[in-house]
Amino acid sequence: MDDATRRLPAEKGSVAKAGELDPPLQAIGFEVEELSPSRITGRLLVTPTCCQPFKVLHGGVSALVAESLASMGAHMASGYRRVAGVQLSINHFRSAALGDTVLARAVPVHLGRSTQVWEVKLWKMDPSTGEKGPQIAESRVTLLCNLPLPEEHKNAGDALRKYSKL
């Protein structure tokens, strides 16, 4: 892990940190682990709140995770300028059942002056090793970047600045 990356401990406070970074992620229990302009990782325990009627992770939750992680990364990578998601494409390969833990990783594919493209992958965690198991979804998120930041939102990136530093 380089100096630009901060690993957030997967402990009781990491969900609260997710709330500072992205309230919808906190609402579903997502824990942010690594946070930098070049990589964001985290995990989500699949709870009833995250499931569709068949007791598997809802595809909309996967999309929420993808959009949120890509937006945080793009915001940091653009120097904390305003970003806006304009396109999200997601493929679901396998399901994650109630009680499974899902690991997520977002990395930039293209960092341009006016657009960024981020790849977000989700895996089911192997419970015996705690490592990545089968991949369950993959998405691409395209964002407009370097948009003007209105005065009333000048502090929008403060939590990202706080947690992305060592």
Side-chain angles (χ1 to χ4, degrees), residues 94-127:
R94 292 179 178 80
S95 62
L98 180 65
D100 286 342
T101 297
V102 173
L103 305 176
R105 183 194 71 207
V107 295
V109 174
H110 167 73
L111 298 175
R113 286 181 299 200
S114 60
T115 62
Q116 294 184 28
V117 177
W118 283 71
E119 173 187 79
V120 184
K121 293 185 177 183
L122 303 177
W123 297 269
K124 194 181 322 185
M125 185 179 80
D126 181 334

Side-chain angles (χ1 to χ4, degrees), residues 141-162:
V141 183
T142 303
L143 304 105
L144 293 177
C145 59
N146 296 315
L147 299 170
L149 190 60
E151 187 61 39
E152 64 271 18
H153 298 295
K154 290 290 186 198
N155 298 328
D158 286 355
L160 285 172
R161 285 184 188 94
K162 175 180 173 182

Side-chain angles (χ1 to χ4, degrees), residues 5-63:
T5 303
R6 167 94 192 258
R7 179 176 285 280
L8 302 177
E11 58 191 29
K12 193 163 91 173
S14 64
V15 174
K17 291 171 189 168
E20 275 189 81
L21 297 169
D22 190 293
L25 285 182
Q26 178 188 26
I28 61 169
F30 190 86
E31 298 177 0
V32 176
E33 295 178 334
E34 292 180 52
L35 187 63
S36 80
S38 61
R39 179 181 163 102
I40 301 174
T41 66
R43 65 182 59 225
L44 174 69
L45 176 64
V46 181
T47 64
T49 302
C50 304
C51 285
Q52 43 113 306
F54 298 104
K55 306 286 187 229
V56 296
L57 183 65
H58 192 291
V61 171
S62 300

Side-chain angles (χ1 to χ4, degrees), residues 123-143:
W123 297 269
K124 194 181 322 185
M125 185 179 80
D126 181 334
S128 64
T129 64
E131 299 295 320
K132 289 187 286 192
Q135 185 177 350
I136 63 168
E138 182 168 331
S139 64
R140 291 267 175 154
V141 183
T142 303
L143 304 105

